[in-house]
Amino acid sequence: MKRLSILGSTGSIGTQALDVIANSQEDYEVEALAAGSRVEQLAEQIRRFRPKLASVHSKEDAERLRLLTDSSVKIVWGPEGLKEAAAGTEADLVITAVVGSMGLGPTLAAIEAGKDIGLANKETLVSAGHLVTEAAAKRGVRLLPIDSEHSAIFQCLNGEKTEAVRRLIITASGGSFRDRTREQLRGVTVKEALNHPNWSMGAKITIDSATMVNKGLEVIEAHWLFGMDYDRISVLLHAESVIHSMVEFRDNSVMAQLGNPDMRVPIQYALTYPERRPTPTEPLDLTKIGLLHFREMDYERFPLLKLAYDCGRAGGTLPAVFNAANETAVARFLNGEIPFLAIEEIIARTVEGQSREANPGLDELLEADAAARRRAAEIRPEG
Ligand code: NDP
Ligand code: MG
């Protein structure tokens, strides 16, 4: 019996995690569920999975939730509530599936409380990779990847020695605009950007896929999860999203993990590792797929991927600045405030304007994150 806490239970990853749990409910106990403001959906989850604790975004959300649930569940709210859901229960493993660097505080709290992490919230590792990995190593807890690419690499590395690895090859579908030129990106709508060809995900990560920022975040995530230099992490365009990522070894063997695009597979692997169990996903039928396509990454078409590598290599506060600028720019795009290509301009101008501090502590990182958000919110795009 594994005891779980899920942060972001009403989102795309959160609901798929609950789907995995529902499939094998005798193996799991849900200790806590944390969501933002989708209170009716959370109340339904509480009835079904009977957690001891539930956390929501605000006091008003908590009051609304109270009316919808019986008194046996403790209801908390805000950043402190989220932390309690992460660290204040009997959970063995915490699934971090909130969006953005707001996941950092609760993730660190969960690690300090000795809980393994099922890591979906990549922004946390991007912003504070050195602090999170250091804390995990010190506390002896595992960071189990849920991101499909990292789960693939994790599976390919199973039982291998780090010295034997030449490079990690992260695959990228190319997102909703992969077949458009840069010229054709002018004037694209939010609705078009939200239409991902292979995956159904939350809004923010779908936009990140279209700008290729998602792949940039994943490169930095891989750097921290697998302790790999940036020179040994490459990105390959692969339209079908069937190969979820690969590892090339020094003898020129390449290991790949394949499957239909279904997040329930990597989510479940993080929960059952090192065991494998059946999943409700369709088996992969390569004869139906027929062809798999690969293209070299085009850094001119996707300049934000190059900028992510640069920020990752520079280290210090820069990855946090890159991430915070992106979160702000994407929110502005989703609000209809700026055109799609202005996301690039805002991130580039925010990164340029910030000084880089080497080896920052948590307070300095949070300051850099807040300053980058202020700057990114003020920039009036020219392009
Ligand atoms: P969604 O937008 O679908 O879900 C976000 C979740 O966070 C919701 O449950 C939302 O609650 C919750 N939330 C929002 N505000 C708060 C708050 N203040 N306190 C607590 N919870 C809050 O996102 P995704 O599931 O798509 O993504 C989650 C993370 O996983 C991201 O970091 C993403 O990059 C990563 N990821 C996602 C993948 C995917 O397939 N979706 C694949 C790989 C990684 P509510 O809706 O109730 O407001
Ligand atoms: Mg991914």
Side-chain angles (χ1 to χ4, degrees):
M1 172 78 73
K2 196 160 240 170
R3 290 168 299 183
L4 305 172
S5 168
I6 304 175
L7 313 183
S9 66
T10 50
S12 162
I13 292 288
T15 49
Q16 293 180 87
L18 287 171
D19 199 29
V20 165
I21 293 163
N23 254 310
S24 182
Q25 213 161 339
E26 62 288 357
D27 295 326
Y28 301 103
E29 196 160 317
V30 177
E31 291 283 327
L33 294 174
S37 299
R38 274 183 274 185
V39 168
E40 283 79 16
Q41 194 184 338
L42 179 60
E44 188 54 48
Q45 294 178 346
I46 292 171
R47 277 191 284 281
R48 179 125 192 239
F49 296 95
R50 303 249 146 240
K52 299 184 184 77
L53 183 88
S55 172
V56 283
H57 172 63
S58 67
K59 188 159 183 244
E60 293 68 47
D61 294 325
E63 282 159 3
R64 282 200 294 140
L65 183 62
R66 183 78 287 161
L67 298 175
L68 298 171
T69 51
D70 66 48
S71 57
S72 64
V73 58
K74 181 177 174 192
I75 298 175
V76 292
W77 67 87
E80 283 310 308
L82 188 57
K83 247 187 210 172
E84 190 173 342
T89 75
E90 301 284 298
D92 313 301
L93 186 145
V94 176
I95 298 178
T96 62
V98 294
V99 184
S101 63
M102 65 174 268
L104 177 56
T107 304
L108 283 173
I111 292 172
E112 267 147 39
K115 302 183 187 310
D116 286 334
I117 305 293
L119 188 108
N121 177 239
K122 62 190 93 184
E123 295 93 342
T124 283
L125 216 50
V126 170
S127 297
H130 63 298
L131 297 180
V132 173
T133 50
E134 211 176 275
K138 204 161 142 195
R139 205 61 186 73
V141 308
R142 290 195 288 219
L143 300 175
L144 296 157
I146 283 181
D147 213 347
S148 58
E149 293 78 2
H150 304 74
S151 177
I153 292 168
F154 184 60
Q155 294 177 57
C156 295
L157 287 174
N158 221 342
E160 300 285 350
K161 294 199 174 84
T162 322
E163 313 87 85
V165 176
R166 184 177 299 138
R167 62 178 176 134
L168 311 180
I169 304 166
I170 300 181
T171 51
S173 70
S176 18
F177 299 138
R178 62 187 177 197
D179 299 320
R180 297 194 191 209
T181 62
R182 290 185 64 75
E183 203 39 53
Q184 291 168 334
L185 293 177
R186 280 177 212 289
V188 293
T189 64
V190 170
K191 195 166 163 234
E192 288 171 298
L194 285 176
N195 187 20
H196 194 287
N198 307 347
W199 297 94
S200 158
M201 311 181 282
K204 191 258 180 184
I205 185 174
T206 305
I207 304 303
D208 287 352
S209 301
T211 58
M212 209 49 86
V213 162
N214 183 48
K215 223 34 67 175
L217 301 177
E218 290 182 353
V219 166
I220 301 174
E221 184 186 8
H223 166 78
W224 289 112
L225 274 178
F226 306 113
M228 200 64 57
D229 286 349
Y230 287 98
D231 296 342
R232 293 166 69 199
I233 305 174
S234 56
V235 177
L236 180 68
L237 281 165
H238 164 47
E240 290 83 7
S241 299
V242 164
I243 297 186
H244 298 308
S245 277
M246 302 181 255
V247 176
E248 182 182 293
F249 293 92
R250 63 181 170 197
D251 60 356
N252 291 333
S253 282
V254 176
M255 303 265 277
Q257 188 256 348
L258 287 74
N260 288 317
D262 185 336
M263 286 308 296
R264 291 174 302 182
V265 177
I267 291 170
Q268 177 168 290
Y269 192 63
L271 300 186
T272 62
Y273 171 81
E275 279 174 43
R276 291 187 188 273
R277 306 246 180 93
T279 57
T281 192
E282 281 292 301
L284 179 64
D285 183 350
L286 285 172
T287 61
K288 268 196 199 141
I289 294 164
L291 286 175
L292 296 178
H293 295 83
F294 305 95
R295 264 190 296 153
E296 199 177 336
M297 179 48 74
D298 180 346
Y299 291 91
E300 274 166 32
R301 167 66 180 76
F302 297 111
L304 287 174
L305 178 57
K306 164 134 195 342
L307 186 60
Y309 265 101
D310 292 344
C311 291
R313 284 196 171 95
T317 42
L318 271 193
V321 168
F322 175 87
N323 176 68
N326 178 57
E327 286 186 31
T328 307
V330 170
R332 289 180 70 185
F333 172 68
L334 287 171
N335 276 336
E337 222 185 286
I338 57 164
F340 181 74
L341 282 173
I343 297 173
E344 285 177 8
E345 185 187 336
I346 289 174
I347 299 174
R349 284 173 60 189
T350 305
V351 168
E352 265 167 38
Q354 304 288 330
S355 61
R356 167 190 175 272
E357 255 176 82
N359 216 4
L362 185 57
D363 289 345
E364 287 145 304
L365 272 181
L366 295 176
E367 248 168 61
D369 177 296
R373 277 170 209 272
R374 283 195 298 273
R375 168 103 181 102
E378 279 163 9
I379 290 173
R380 294 167 72 104
E382 287 157 7

